[in-house]
Amino acid sequence: MIQLSESAQAHFRRLLEREALPGLGVRLSAVHPGTPRADVRLEFAEPADLRGDEWAIDCEGFTLWVEAASASYLDAAEIDYITQATGGQLQIRAPKIKGEAPADSASLVERVRWVVEQEINPQLAQHRGHVSVQEVSADGVVWLRFGGGCHGCGMADVTLKQGIESTLMSKVPGVTAVRDATDHATGDAPYIPRDAA
């Protein structure tokens, strides 16, 4: 499942020896897994800190605990410690942490959500905005709810038609239209106020 190099194990042992706490180990988890913002978190963990459902990887002198909910995203991860002239650096490669694109046979909802999370929301984040999938009808109409800087934005209609709808219709076979389910009058921090657009 997870490959931990000898140099990484030696690095962790040195850190744990400095702490000198009985049973102290290292916990590995995925933060925002399955999204473009996915990252890895490493932290010390005492036995009392554990939930009880972690996966245990026995290393020489310590245990690496893998958060159960993160296990599938951290499958095939490689942890290494590279020594350089200026010091050392921990390198973690987790090829599945951002998730895997659903197969063509996956449901329309799964394929729409993947494109929204992997392609559309990273673009909207540049304007402090995001969208969430409210509903996908049987006839392929996708209903979205705008949030953040997009909630109440005067350019939401343009973003919906020229950006989101064209992206979803070109990348997700079966999408026939995209509609806005947001009450934009309640937006309190729009990127571009509706009266300025």
Side-chain angles (χ1 to χ4, degrees):
M1 179 184 148
I2 295 174
Q3 300 298 318
L4 206 64
S5 73
E6 287 298 322
S7 60
Q9 290 185 49
H11 174 68
F12 289 133
R13 274 194 302 275
R14 283 190 300 273
L15 294 174
L16 291 166
E17 285 169 4
R18 283 188 216 157
E19 297 298 317
L21 292 171
L24 188 66
V26 178
R27 180 171 38 205
L28 177 67
S29 60
V31 180
H32 306 294
T35 72
R37 301 179 315 152
D39 204 353
V40 174
R41 177 182 293 148
L42 276 170
E43 57 193 347
F44 291 130
E46 295 182 61
D49 298 332
L50 302 174
R51 293 186 196 152
D53 63 349
E54 292 87 356
W55 295 33
I57 299 174
D58 291 323
C59 301
E60 189 175 328
F62 69 97
T63 301
L64 176 69
W65 300 99
V66 180
E67 181 185 67
S70 300
S72 63
Y73 295 101
L74 297 172
D75 185 34
E78 298 175 1
I79 302 173
D80 195 10
Y81 185 78
I82 307 297
T83 304
Q84 301 168 339
T86 57
Q89 181 177 5
L90 197 61
Q91 293 183 347
I92 303 172
R93 291 181 185 87
K96 297 180 181 178
I97 197 162
K98 293 186 179 182
E100 297 180 82
D104 292 341
S105 61
S107 74
L108 184 59
V109 173
E110 288 176 273
R111 292 181 287 129
V112 165
R113 282 196 173 130
W114 174 262
V115 172
V116 164
E117 289 304 318
Q118 298 296 321
E119 296 185 33
I120 294 168
N121 275 336
Q123 294 292 322
L124 297 177
Q126 295 174 17
H127 297 160
R128 304 180 323 267
H130 60 87
V131 292
S132 58
V133 178
Q134 179 79 27
E135 177 185 349
V136 179
S137 69
D139 59 346
V141 177
V142 177
W143 289 88
L144 300 175
R145 187 166 307 280
F146 284 84
C150 292
H151 186 187
C153 180
M155 297 300 288
D157 294 339
V158 174
T159 300
L160 181 74
K161 289 296 176 190
Q162 294 179 8
I164 299 171
E165 185 175 62
S166 63
T167 298
L168 285 173
M169 289 181 74
S170 69
K171 300 207 173 209
V172 185
V175 172
T176 57
V178 179
R179 303 284 184 260
D180 188 353
T182 312
D183 177 4
H184 284 284
T186 62
D188 58 2
Y191 185 70
I192 298 174
R194 289 187 92 63
D195 56 4

